[in-house]
Amino acid sequence: DPGTSKSQLLGHVHKLAPRGVYTSGKGSSAVGLTASVVRDPETRDLVLESGALVLSDLGICCIDEFDKMSDTTRAILHEAMEQQTVSIAKAGIIATLNARTSILASANPVESRYNPALSVVENIKLSPTLLSRFDLIYLILDSPNVENDRRLAQHLVGLYYETPNVVEPPLDHNLLRDYIAYARDNIHPELSDLATRELISAYLGMRRIGSGGAGGGGSRTIS
């Protein structure tokens, strides 16, 4: 739903990630996400300039206003999300660039507010081929709640006090960022036999659900 601080969430994740890029869907183009061919002002040679997905290699790419991105731009994400690469063939330059990045995107529903009577796919209105490439889909709903609304209002009003009354996070920002970087470099989880069997069973169950459509090619969404 609008007004649920999705942009703030993406911005915070971008700051926490050891490596990442934040961009807006409405202001992004296909070459801005992948790579562009420009002429070097000194040598006058054609060179490649990396886009957001390539710059986020081994990091995270946060895309806000994903629903406002054009279909042509969104089509670029298919290869990056499946193959973890970006292929370029422009002005005689042919290259395959690494785009081993996680993509965190936020979007508003088609009716500006989430409709519980419709499915997730009907609310988001993205192509099934692109939607199925997201591993997880979370719903952030603006449900009226007196305690939550009061806490939010107190926080907003507190920002304008002579001495701002801001709640400090329980963990220091730099410490959390260093912890994430350390975990990525040193922690390598291994699946047990039981976890492996559970994952295989869950995957087969999802395949059975997807086989109900024509040709079994329906999108499989976890929400």
Side-chain angles (χ1 to χ4, degrees):
D1 282 334
T4 52
S5 302
K6 298 186 296 297
S7 299
Q8 294 292 328
L9 176 63
L10 263 64
H12 191 67
V13 171
H14 166 246
K15 293 177 182 177
L16 282 177
R19 183 176 185 179
V21 173
Y22 176 91
T23 183
S24 175
K26 194 170 185 179
S28 300
S29 62
V31 294
L33 289 178
T34 55
S36 59
V37 177
V38 298
R39 192 173 295 278
D40 188 276
E42 296 181 359
T43 64
R44 308 304 299 170
D45 293 332
L46 293 175
V47 295
L48 276 177
E49 280 196 355
S50 301
L53 294 175
V54 180
L55 292 174
S56 303
D57 186 40
L58 298 179
I60 187 168
C61 182
C62 300
I63 305 177
D64 198 7
E65 305 288 351
F66 193 66
D67 54 305
K68 296 179 178 61
M69 184 181 289
S70 67
D71 293 337
T72 304
T73 305
R74 279 201 292 254
I76 298 296
L77 298 174
H78 286 78
E79 180 191 358
M81 297 181 72
E82 184 175 354
Q83 306 295 336
Q84 300 281 278
T85 59
V86 169
S87 299
I88 300 295
K90 299 178 180 178
I93 299 178
I94 301 175
T96 300
L97 308 175
N98 286 326
R100 297 161 294 180
T101 175
S102 301
I103 295 180
L104 178 64
S106 69
N108 290 322
V110 290
E111 298 178 358
S112 296
R113 191 170 181 85
Y114 189 82
N115 187 351
L118 302 177
S119 66
V120 176
V121 177
E122 292 171 324
N123 270 286
I124 299 178
K125 284 295 184 184
L126 292 176
S127 65
T129 54
L130 181 60
L131 198 60
S132 64
R133 282 171 168 78
F134 285 95
D135 296 321
L136 297 171
I137 296 177
Y138 294 96
L139 301 180
I140 305 179
L141 305 180
D142 184 17
S143 303
N145 183 285
V146 176
E147 290 302 321
N148 291 339
D149 294 344
R150 179 181 292 111
R151 189 160 53 246
L152 175 61
Q154 288 175 344
H155 172 74
L156 293 175
V157 172
L159 296 175
Y160 296 94
Y161 287 171
E162 185 175 349
T163 302
N165 182 19
V166 180
V167 178
E168 294 294 331
L171 195 61
D172 181 69
H173 177 91
N174 293 327
L175 176 61
L176 181 57
R177 179 172 183 164
D178 293 343
Y179 176 80
I180 294 174
Y182 175 85
R184 285 173 60 101
D185 293 337
N186 298 280
I187 307 301
H188 307 288
E190 295 181 359
L191 291 176
S192 63
D193 293 339
L194 177 60
T196 302
R197 290 194 296 269
E198 288 293 331
L199 286 173
I200 294 175
S201 176
Y203 172 73
L204 293 177
M206 292 172 62
R207 291 289 293 178
R208 282 194 296 271
I209 295 174
S211 64
S219 62
R220 297 177 292 278
T221 303
I222 303 175
S223 59

